[in-house]
Amino acid sequence: MTADAVQSVLKRLMERVGESPDLSLMTPCKAMRNALPKAADHALDLPLIVSDVSLKSHTREMLLSKLEDNRLYMLIQSTDDRLGIAIPDAALLASLIEIQTIGDVSPNPPIARRPTRTDASLVEPFLDAVLAEFVHQLAGKEELPRFLGFSYSRVIEDQRHLPLVLPEDDYACFEIAVGLGKVAKPASLILAYPSLRVDTKASEDVGPSKKWTTKLEAGVMGAEVEIDVTLHTFTMPLDEVPNLVVGYEIILPRMSVNTLKVKGSDGSVVAQGSLGQSNGFRAVKISGGEGAKTAQSKSSMAQMNGSPLEAMGPVDGPIPVTATDAVLPMDTGVPKDFSDMSPPDEVDEPDDGLGDFPAMDDFPSMGDLPPMDNLPPMGDLPDLDFEMDVSPIQID
């Protein structure tokens, strides 16, 4: 090769060094493939090899049909309130926990269990790093607005709630296969992004946002919920529990039928009520809920703040229970107000046999006392010449 040919080749190489990369070659799949290893290294110092990345368009029903039981369902939300979902498999979840607890990824297969909120908090740093790095890799592309501004939002513990949370939409679904750690432990991840929201000013009544809100409200309000009514709660020794068989009698307080507790599926008390009947069936009448708790809380705060009149409530409210009301049993016939009662009738007292005292009309007169003008004078009292030692007295 001549010197001129060598100079020509070197010149072409130097010109290519200064050229910027062709962004038209960057696709969402390639951007995701580049983002995953960088995000894992930056967030957790975790070696990650991408085996495969595919991008498909799925409806909500198609996306939900691909879900498996006992997975961690992590909602991702954009700055314009669009919702997507990230679903790591059990191997990815176990690897992310291992790298943060023992510092390495184990080759052992993951243990089948139901994920928790704590698991979601351990996956969150990796997930947010992937979402941010993916946007950075896709910068300048026309597809960028659809994937922009997403981060982890919250976890959905029950798979049955996903149809109520995820809107009907066409989702860009990434199906990702990776190898984690030095052992290249196989794992997978699903990332589903919703479509880009189109801001139209046609009509607010037929807008997609209002339709979605209406459908969500109808779905939530029409859903069946399970509530429990607790008649009485008591404790008993552990050795008596085996005696709880059919026919075992439990003594209930007399007022327990008026102090029922209505509880939600999580065991929290949502209302109070009393037991009764309606149309021949047993029924519970709600007598208090959050409003009663709020009123009670306000009354307690008023007492603490030194406002007894405010704590007593309005003047035209119910009369508070007095000590007389507390000691009188129910339905005894004894009235609570004695102001309208007439005095008792007079009755003849029994004869004690002593009779009346005799008349004393013939008692002789005692007359007047004699004059006392001739009494001798008493004179002055003598001086009291003596000393008194007065000492202080200590009182214990």
Side-chain angles (χ1 to χ4, degrees):
M1 181 178 293
T2 63
D4 294 339
V6 172
Q7 292 292 332
S8 178
V9 171
L10 293 176
K11 183 178 179 181
R12 290 196 299 271
L13 291 175
M14 293 299 296
E15 290 177 351
R16 291 181 180 179
V17 170
E19 293 178 355
S20 59
D22 188 1
L23 295 179
S24 61
L25 300 178
M26 182 64 67
T27 64
C29 285
K30 188 174 182 180
M32 184 62 71
R33 183 182 289 272
N34 294 342
L36 286 164
K38 294 183 178 181
D41 180 69
H42 175 74
L44 303 174
D45 195 19
L46 171 64
L48 185 148
I49 301 174
V50 180
S51 303
D52 183 56
V53 177
S54 62
L55 176 60
K56 300 178 182 179
S57 179
H58 289 322
T59 62
R60 184 185 66 175
E61 287 70 21
M62 295 174 60
L63 175 61
L64 296 178
S65 65
K66 299 176 67 67
L67 303 184
E68 299 178 5
D69 296 334
N70 294 332
R71 289 294 184 92
L72 184 62
Y73 307 108
M74 305 177 66
L75 291 183
I76 57 176
Q77 187 171 7
S78 65
T79 53
D80 57 353
D81 296 330
R82 291 179 295 133
L83 288 177
I85 191 170
I87 310 172
D89 70 344
L92 178 57
L93 175 59
S95 300
L96 294 178
I97 294 175
E98 290 169 350
I99 196 65
Q100 296 179 76
T101 53
I102 63 177
D104 200 2
V105 177
S106 169
N108 300 326
I111 300 175
R113 62 181 180 85
R114 184 175 181 178
T116 63
R117 294 179 181 270
T118 303
D119 297 327
S121 63
L122 293 174
V123 179
E124 180 180 358
F126 170 76
L127 178 60
D128 283 341
V130 171
L131 298 176
E133 184 62 30
F134 172 59
V135 170
H136 176 72
Q137 293 290 328
L138 204 59
K141 295 295 296 178
E142 60 180 3
E143 297 93 342
L144 177 64
R146 180 171 188 173
F147 307 104
L148 192 62
F150 280 90
S151 62
Y152 169 70
S153 174
R154 59 188 183 276
V155 65
I156 301 297
E157 297 183 353
D158 195 336
Q159 180 181 351
R160 296 172 298 178
H161 296 166
L162 290 176
L164 300 175
V165 178
L166 290 177
E168 293 184 359
D169 203 347
D170 290 328
Y171 291 85
C173 185
F174 288 94
E175 298 182 11
I176 305 165
V178 296
L180 299 172
K182 299 177 183 178
V183 296
K185 187 175 184 175
S188 64
L189 172 67
I190 295 178
L191 272 177
Y193 290 86
S195 61
L196 187 63
R197 182 175 297 171
V198 179
D199 187 11
T200 60
K201 300 181 180 180
S203 175
E204 295 182 358
D205 295 336
V206 296
S209 178
K210 188 173 183 62
K211 287 183 177 180
W212 157 239
T213 303
T214 304
K215 290 182 179 179
L216 177 60
E217 181 179 0
V220 172
M221 299 306 294
E224 294 183 359
V225 296
E226 180 180 350
I227 60 174
D228 297 324
V229 178
T230 302
L231 182 63
H232 177 60
T233 303
F234 67 98
T235 59
M236 63 185 310
L238 184 61
D239 56 358
E240 293 185 10
V241 174
N243 298 331
L244 292 176
V245 294
V246 177
Y248 186 90
E249 294 184 358
I250 300 175
I251 301 177
L252 301 178
R254 179 178 299 179
M255 298 302 296
S256 61
V257 295
N258 295 327
T259 57
L260 301 182
K261 294 181 180 180
V262 182
K263 299 182 179 181
S265 57
D266 58 349
S268 60
V269 179
V270 298
Q272 295 180 353
S274 56
L275 184 62
Q277 291 186 359
S278 177
N279 297 327
F281 297 94
R282 290 190 180 92
V284 176
K285 181 180 179 181
I286 303 298
S287 58
E290 295 299 330
K293 295 179 182 178
T294 304
Q296 183 180 3
S297 176
K298 291 182 178 179
S299 175
S300 301
M301 290 301 298
Q303 294 177 7
M304 294 174 61
N305 296 332
S307 303
L309 293 180
E310 182 181 353
M312 290 175 63
V315 178
D316 56 351
I319 301 176
V321 177
T322 62
T324 305
D325 298 330
V327 300
L328 289 179
M330 298 178 59
D331 298 332
T332 58
V334 180
K336 298 181 181 180
D337 187 6
F338 299 91
S339 60
D340 296 336
M341 295 185 63
S342 59
D345 298 334
E346 296 183 0
V347 297
D348 296 334
E349 297 181 358
D351 188 6
D352 53 6
L354 297 176
D356 298 331
F357 287 99
M360 303 180 70
D361 298 337
D362 55 349
F363 194 80
S365 177
M366 297 182 66
D368 298 332
L369 293 175
M372 303 180 69
D373 298 335
N374 56 353
L375 291 177
M378 296 181 64
D380 298 331
L381 294 174
D383 296 332
L384 300 176
D385 296 331
F386 64 90
E387 294 181 0
M388 178 182 295
D389 184 12
V390 180
S391 302
I393 301 175
Q394 182 176 359
I395 301 176
D396 295 332

